[in-house]
Amino acid sequence: MGYNYKNRNEVPEEYRWDLTKWFKTDDLWYKELEETKKQTKSLNKYKGKILESTNLYDLLNEYYKLNNRFENLYAYAMLKQDEDLGNDKYDKMFQEASALFSEFGENTSFITPEIIHSDKFDVKSLIKNDSRLKEYEHFLEELAEEKKYVKDEATEEMISVLIKDMHNYETLSATMLNSCLDYGTIKDEEGNDVKLNTGNYRKYISSKNRQVRKSAYESLNKERIKYAKVLGSNLISFMGRKCSIAKIRGYKSAKDMFFKNDNIPVEVQEVLQKSASKNIKHLHEYYQVFKKILGEDKLETYDLSAPIVSNDKVYSVLDAQNFVYEATKVLGEEYSNIMQKGYKDRWVDFMPYQGKQSGGYSLSIYGKTSNILMSYNGILDDIGTLAHEMGHAVNNYLRFSCTPIQYAYDDPIIAEVASLSNEVYLANYIINNDFSKEEKISAITEMLRTINSNFFGAVMENELEDYAYEKLDNNESINSEDLCEEMKVLIKKYYGDIIEEDEYRKYMWIPRSHYFRPYYLYKYATSICGAVYFSRKILKGDKETLENYHEFLKSGSDTYPYEHLLKYGIDLKEESTYDELFDYYNELLDKLKELTGVGED
C-alpha cells in the first residue's frame, strides 16, 4: 500500500474531499461572487439610525446572513487553494474572496462604533424596548465590554484598512514552505529515491531507519533556514501590525488586546506557564526513558518522532476510520452516526503530494458540514490526526445544529477540548483492546507526544510569542536572529541536556503557522487539560460527565470561554486543574516502562 502521489490528479476520488456542498462548480462560485459584490454596501441603509425603532434587530439579522455568504465564498476559495498552493487560478480566487470579505468589513465598520457611542446604548433598555433582542443579549454585553476600545467611525475605517490584507503574511509563509521551496530527494527505507515535501515529511521523520530520519530532517531544514531572514521579517511585520492596532485601540499591549478580546483572564496563561515549569521534570523523565528504549548513545532532534518499537504495519484509510469510530463509541450513537456520515460524504482530504497545504485542520462554516485536510501516510500518528480533526468536525456539526449563527463559533480554548479528547479515546482503545504489544507501545508513545506537543511545546512557543510581542510593544526592533537566540534559551529550558544541540533547532519557529493566530498556542495546553478531565471520567463510566460533555459539544459562544469551562468544573486559574493531566501522563509513562522493560535507572 503506497501513498506517494505526485499530484492531486493521481489521488483516487474516495480520498479527496467533496466540495460540491459549497459550490457545484467554480463557475457557480464566480456567479455568487458577482452577486455578493452588490451587497457589500447594502447595510449602509442603517447608517446613522441603527438604534431607531427595530433597526438594531433587523440589522443584526441581515449582517449575519450576509457575513455567512462571504464566509462561504472565502472558505471554498481557501480549500481549493490548499489543494494546490501553486495553482494560480485558486490563488486568484482566494485573493478575490479575501478582498471582497475585507471590503464588506470596511463597509460595515460603522456598525460597532455607532452602537457603542450612542447615548441609547444600554443592553437592558434595548431588550426591554425590543424583546427579540434577547437572543443577542450576550453579543450586546460583549460590545459593552469592548466599548472603551472601539474608536470613532473614521478610526475604525483606518483599522479596517490595516487588517484587510493581514492574511497575506500567513499566505506568503505557507506558499513558500509548502510550494516554492525545494527540499530535495532522499533515500527511503528501501533505498528508493523519494521527493521530500512538507506533506510526506512526517512519514520520513518517523521512520525506523535513523539515516532516513536524519536525511529528512537535514534536507528540510537546510532549505528552510536559507529563507529565515525573509520568513522572520514576514512574521515580525505581522506581529508589529498587531501591536499597532492594539495601540490605536488603546490597549496596554498587544497581549492585553488578545486576552481581552478572548475574554480570558491573563492569569490563565501565567498559571499555565508556572505549571509547565513545575512539571517539566516529567518531560525530562520521558526523554530519559525514550533514549534508553531507543538504545542510542545520543538523542538527536530527528530521533524524537522515531518509533520505539518495530511496528511496520501500514494502516489503510479504512483502518483509520474504523479505529476512530470504535474508539469514540463510548460517546454514544448520535456521535458515531455523525462520524460515519462524515466518512460517507467525503469530508476528508487524505493524501499528501507536492504543492498541497501541509499539516491538518478542520474548516467549518455555519450551515455547512466540515472539511478536513490532512496528509495521510498510513502510520499510527496519522490516525491520531484523523481522530483529532474529526473531533472538531463532529463538535461543529452538533453546535451548528443547536446554536444560532451569532454564537456558532467557539474560542479555540473550547474547541480544542473536543479534538484532543478524541486522541485520548483512541489511545485508550488501542491500549485496552486486542492489539499487539508493539501497537500498544506506539499508542502510548503517541499520546505522550501529544501531551508533550500540546502542553510543553505549546507553552514553550507561547513564551516565544511573549518575548516578541513585549519587544515590539516597547518599540524595540527584533529580527530572525533574535527569534533564534530566544528559541535557544527556551529549548534549553524545556529539553534540558538530554537532546543534543544542532544547528537547526533554533529555527523551530519557522514552520509554525499558529504564530499568525496570536496567543492561540497556549490554548492547546489548557485544552489538553480539559480533554483529559472529560475523557478519563467518561471512560470510567461517569454518566453525568458524559451528559455534560454532550451539552458542552452542543453549546455555543453565548458564554465567555473561561466561564464555559468553569461551568463543568474546569478552573483554568487553579494549578490543581493541571495536576490531573500529569497523573495521566505518569500513568502512561509507567505503562510504557512496563511494556518495554525499561526504567529510569
Side-chain angles (χ1 to χ4, degrees), residues 116-233:
I116 284 177
H117 294 311
S118 170
D119 293 337
K120 298 178 182 178
F121 180 52
D122 177 78
V123 178
K124 290 182 179 178
S125 297
L126 288 170
I127 294 173
K128 183 178 179 182
N129 293 334
D130 187 348
S131 61
R132 297 176 303 167
L133 284 170
K134 183 71 178 175
E135 64 185 82
Y136 287 102
E137 183 173 18
H138 183 70
F139 166 80
L140 294 170
E141 287 173 348
E142 286 187 293
L143 284 187
E145 288 287 323
E146 294 174 22
K147 185 172 182 176
K148 65 180 178 178
Y149 302 107
V150 175
K151 303 304 177 184
D152 58 82
E153 184 183 335
T155 306
E156 286 297 321
E157 286 180 3
M158 180 179 71
I159 292 171
S160 294
V161 171
L162 284 173
I163 291 171
K164 74 174 183 178
D165 63 348
M166 289 202 72
H167 64 275
N168 288 331
Y169 292 105
E170 183 176 6
T171 298
L172 184 149
S173 178
T175 302
M176 282 189 67
L177 293 171
N178 298 313
S179 185
C180 296
L181 303 194
D182 184 353
Y183 300 113
T185 300
I186 64 169
K187 299 283 187 184
D188 67 10
E189 293 177 357
E190 286 74 42
N192 301 313
D193 288 335
V194 291
K195 183 74 174 172
L196 188 67
N197 58 60
T198 52
N200 63 19
Y201 174 72
R202 188 163 61 174
K203 175 182 179 180
Y204 298 113
I205 198 65
S206 305
S207 171
K208 65 181 179 181
N209 185 307
R210 200 180 197 208
Q211 184 56 47
V212 172
R213 298 197 302 270
K214 182 179 180 182
S215 296
Y217 179 72
E218 291 181 348
S219 294
L220 191 85
N221 284 290
K222 276 180 183 176
E223 182 71 1
R224 278 177 177 167
I225 67 174
K226 291 178 187 176
Y227 303 93
K229 287 185 179 179
V230 173
L231 292 165
S233 294

Side-chain angles (χ1 to χ4, degrees), residues 58 82-83 159 230 240 257 261 303 307 311 331 378-379 435 470 482 510 573 600:
D58 295 335
D82 284 352
E83 291 178 358
I159 292 171
V230 173
M257 176 176 72
N261 286 347
D303 292 323
N311 180 18
L331 297 176
I379 60 177
F435 288 85
E470 185 175 348
D482 295 318
I510 286 179
K573 288 199 296 185
E600 292 179 70

Side-chain angles (χ1 to χ4, degrees), residues 31-46 59 61-71 73 99-111:
K31 183 178 179 181
E32 173 67 1
L33 183 77
E34 293 306 313
E35 287 297 316
T36 52
K37 280 181 180 178
K38 302 171 186 175
Q39 302 296 319
T40 55
K41 296 181 180 180
S42 63
L43 298 183
N44 285 3
K45 62 189 176 186
Y46 293 105
L59 164 68
N61 273 1
E62 287 184 42
Y63 171 83
Y64 280 106
K65 286 176 183 176
L66 268 176
N67 191 68
N68 187 239
R69 290 181 70 180
F70 287 107
E71 285 179 328
L73 285 165
L100 190 62
F101 210 164
S102 296
E103 184 181 347
F104 178 66
E106 289 176 43
N107 289 327
T108 55
S109 62
F110 70 91
I111 295 174

Side-chain angles (χ1 to χ4, degrees), residues 42 56 191 309 402 409 553 574:
S42 63
L56 178 57
V309 289
C402 301
Y409 299 110
L553 292 177
E574 290 295 325

Side-chain angles (χ1 to χ4, degrees), residues 327-328 330-331 421-429 535 538-539 549:
T328 56
V330 66
L331 297 176
S421 293
N422 275 11
E423 295 194 52
V424 179
Y425 296 126
L426 179 63
N428 177 78
Y429 171 67
S535 56
I538 290 169
L539 287 168
Y549 187 64

Side-chain angles (χ1 to χ4, degrees), residues 73-85:
L73 285 165
Y74 181 91
Y76 180 81
M78 173 185 156
L79 294 169
K80 295 298 288 184
Q81 183 189 50
D82 284 352
E83 291 178 358
D84 185 356
L85 292 167

